[in-house]
Structures are given as structure tokens and as C-alpha cells.
Amino acid sequence: MKYPAYVLMILLGIFSVSCEQTEEISGDSKMKIINDCDYGIRIYFDDINLGRVESDEEKTWSVPSGNHTVKATCSFANDYEEDFDFITGMTTTIRLELQKKSKQILVLGAAPEL
């Protein structure tokens, strides 16, 4: 009976170490992310991990003005990355609907048709 408890503790330790930490940023403009995906996405601002936006939710961050790269990632969908010009005092709204990753078909053998 103790074996499953040990395995669970080891797995929890591995997952907690591999979790990426979020960082706080602030600035004179705002970025609003609207997640229209079927799954939660992780948001990066110039490679700074801001956190997650769950499915069908939205979140707003204060960000510095200027040209910056916004990236959204998810294990189940293709990543999104684009540069935006954030203007002082304005909110830039980004609506995301990431495309589900396609399954690749492995062809083990093929023969031409006659």
C-alpha cells in the first residue's frame, strides 16, 4: 500500500519542479487577451511568462508601451506569436483561437497504383 503513495509523491515533485514561474510586469498601456480556444493557453510578453488564460475567459495586464512580441502556447494547439505596437494609455485587445495540432499520419509502406 505504501508503494502508490511513494510514486505519487515522486510524480508531484517532478511536476512541481517543471512548472514555469510567472512574472509580474507593469507599464503605461494595457494588453487584453480573450481566449476563444477549447483549452487554457499560456501567455508570454517578450519571453516573460505572464500566466494562463483559461478557455472562454479573458485577462488584462498592464504592459510597457512600444513594440513587443506576444506569444501564446498550448500543448494541444499550434503556438501563436506576433509583434504588436502598444500605445500609452490604450488597451490592445488580442482575441485568440489557436488551431488544434494536426495528427501526422505515419505511412509504413506505399505502392504505386497500376
Side-chain angles (χ1 to χ4, degrees):
M1 289 293 193
K2 292 182 181 180
Y3 179 73
Y6 289 124
V7 171
L8 181 61
M9 289 174 45
I10 290 170
L11 289 175
L12 287 174
I14 291 170
F15 286 125
S16 66
V17 170
S18 66
C19 292
E20 191 175 355
Q21 296 294 321
T22 60
E23 295 182 42
E24 295 289 325
I25 64 170
S26 63
D28 52 3
S29 59
K30 294 194 183 294
M31 176 180 69
K32 179 179 183 180
I33 300 290
I34 301 172
N35 182 2
D36 286 337
C37 302
D38 292 333
Y39 14 77
I41 55 176
R42 187 167 304 282
I43 303 297
Y44 296 87
F45 185 87
D46 289 339
D47 295 324
I48 297 170
N49 180 5
L50 298 181
R52 289 179 56 87
V53 180
E54 297 303 326
S55 176
D56 297 321
E57 292 186 3
E58 59 187 56
K59 191 166 183 181
T60 303
W61 288 273
S62 292
V63 296
S65 59
N67 194 301
H68 299 279
T69 302
V70 176
K71 183 176 180 180
T73 64
C74 174
S75 299
F76 309 110
N78 294 321
D79 292 347
Y80 167 86
E81 185 172 330
E82 191 170 338
D83 292 335
F84 290 91
D85 191 27
F86 293 90
I87 301 169
T88 302
M90 304 277 297
T91 299
T92 300
T93 301
I94 305 168
R95 182 178 294 271
L96 296 174
E97 186 173 351
L98 302 182
Q99 298 298 315
K100 186 175 182 179
K101 288 184 180 176
S102 61
K103 295 180 182 177
Q104 294 186 2
I105 300 171
L106 178 61
V107 177
L108 297 176
E113 292 185 28
L114 298 175

